[in-house]
């Protein structure tokens, strides 16, 4: 069974937690920056929230005001420890492309609209970490996603080898 974990930008949606409590049962709420290198920005931290296992949440999510542009959803096996996901997402905040470090705002939909079609399989596995799929809402209000396509264990081991994570898709090289 998979759980759906939303990562929401609370700078863009300051009352995100309040809004989500009115429309969904929240299993777990974790500040993304807590205990990370960005802990000093805890007041502006995106939130990582377990929305449970009901797949209908995806259709509801795309209609929530501002969430369509300021959040993404990861799916993760319910057996995986939530802090493994949090640790991975914190590590994903700073990535290397070529030899340059970047702040990687993976929780914004615009990013995925620009790069998802050009991601290589290794970068997909790196970005997903312990999760199995990433969802975002495109500019036409459609839910889009990508998932791991190779041996998940092998790709995860490779992704865990180095931190900061290195992204190698050609789409990212234009950032350097």
């Amino acid at each position: 069974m998979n759980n759906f974990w939303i990562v929401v930008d609370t700078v863009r949606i300051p009352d995100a937690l309040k809004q989500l409590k009115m429309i969904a049962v929240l299993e777990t709420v974790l500040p993304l920056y807590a205990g990370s290198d960005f802990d000093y920005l805890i007041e502006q931290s995106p939130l990582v929230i377990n929305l449970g296992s009901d797949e209908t949440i995806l259709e509801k999510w795309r209609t929530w005001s501002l969430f369509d542009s300021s959040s993404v959803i990861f799916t993760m096996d319910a057996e995986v420890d939530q802090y493994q996901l949090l640790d991975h997402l914190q590590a994903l905040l700073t990535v290397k492309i070529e030899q340059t470090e970047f702040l990687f705002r993976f929780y914004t939909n615009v990013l995925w609209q620009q790069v998802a079609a050009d991601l290589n399989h290794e970068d997909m596995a790196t970005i997903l970490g312990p999760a199995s799929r990433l969802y975002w809402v495109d500019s036409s209000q459609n839910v889009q996603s990508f998932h791991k396509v190779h041996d998940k264990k092998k790709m995860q081991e490779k992704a865990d080898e180095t931190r900061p994570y290195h992204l190698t898709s050609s789409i990212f090289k234009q950032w350097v």
Side-chain angles (χ1 to χ4, degrees):
M1 177 172 62
N2 283 324
N3 282 335
F4 294 87
W5 289 83
I6 191 168
V7 182
V8 60
D9 184 347
T10 58
V11 171
R12 298 248 2 254
I13 312 174
D15 65 341
L17 189 58
K18 181 180 175 184
Q19 286 187 50
L20 286 171
K21 283 181 178 179
M22 292 189 307
I23 52 183
V25 175
L26 309 183
E27 306 266 331
T28 305
V29 178
L30 305 167
L32 179 59
Y33 294 168
S36 76
D37 291 343
F38 298 97
D39 194 61
Y40 67 96
L41 295 170
I42 197 72
E43 296 297 320
Q44 300 162 1
S45 178
L47 296 175
V48 181
I49 303 169
N50 183 347
L51 298 174
S53 61
D54 184 358
E55 194 168 328
T56 63
I57 200 75
L58 291 172
E59 189 59 29
K60 295 173 187 174
W61 163 62
R62 74 176 186 86
T63 65
W64 298 338
S65 180
L66 295 177
F67 284 83
D68 59 335
S69 64
S70 302
S71 65
V72 296
I73 290 181
F74 288 86
T75 56
M76 188 174 74
D77 188 304
E79 301 299 314
V80 177
D81 180 67
Q82 64 193 14
Y83 292 104
Q84 184 179 353
L85 176 64
L86 181 63
D87 178 62
H88 168 71
L89 296 177
Q90 288 175 339
L92 198 56
L93 287 167
T94 306
V95 298
K96 269 194 171 182
I97 301 166
E98 301 284 305
Q99 296 304 314
T100 306
E101 283 195 17
F102 287 88
L103 175 62
F104 192 55
R105 294 187 67 230
F106 63 86
Y107 45 88
T108 63
N109 298 27
V110 171
L111 171 72
W112 301 114
Q113 290 179 63
Q114 295 171 356
V115 305
D118 297 313
L119 291 176
N120 63 37
H121 298 303
E122 286 183 4
D123 282 356
M124 287 181 193
T126 297
I127 291 162
L128 290 170
S132 57
R133 187 174 290 269
L134 171 70
Y135 298 91
W136 69 94
V137 178
D138 68 18
S139 57
S140 299
Q141 296 304 107
N142 295 312
V143 175
Q144 302 293 328
S145 69
F146 67 81
H147 59 92
K148 294 177 186 170
V149 294
H150 289 303
D151 177 7
K152 292 178 182 178
K153 184 176 181 182
K154 182 179 177 184
M155 296 301 282
Q156 183 58 44
E157 287 171 359
K158 181 175 182 346
D160 286 341
E161 286 175 9
T162 59
R163 289 189 181 187
Y165 294 138
H166 290 87
L167 300 179
T168 60
S169 297
S170 60
I171 188 75
F172 294 125
K173 293 183 180 176
Q174 61 187 307
W175 292 7
V176 180

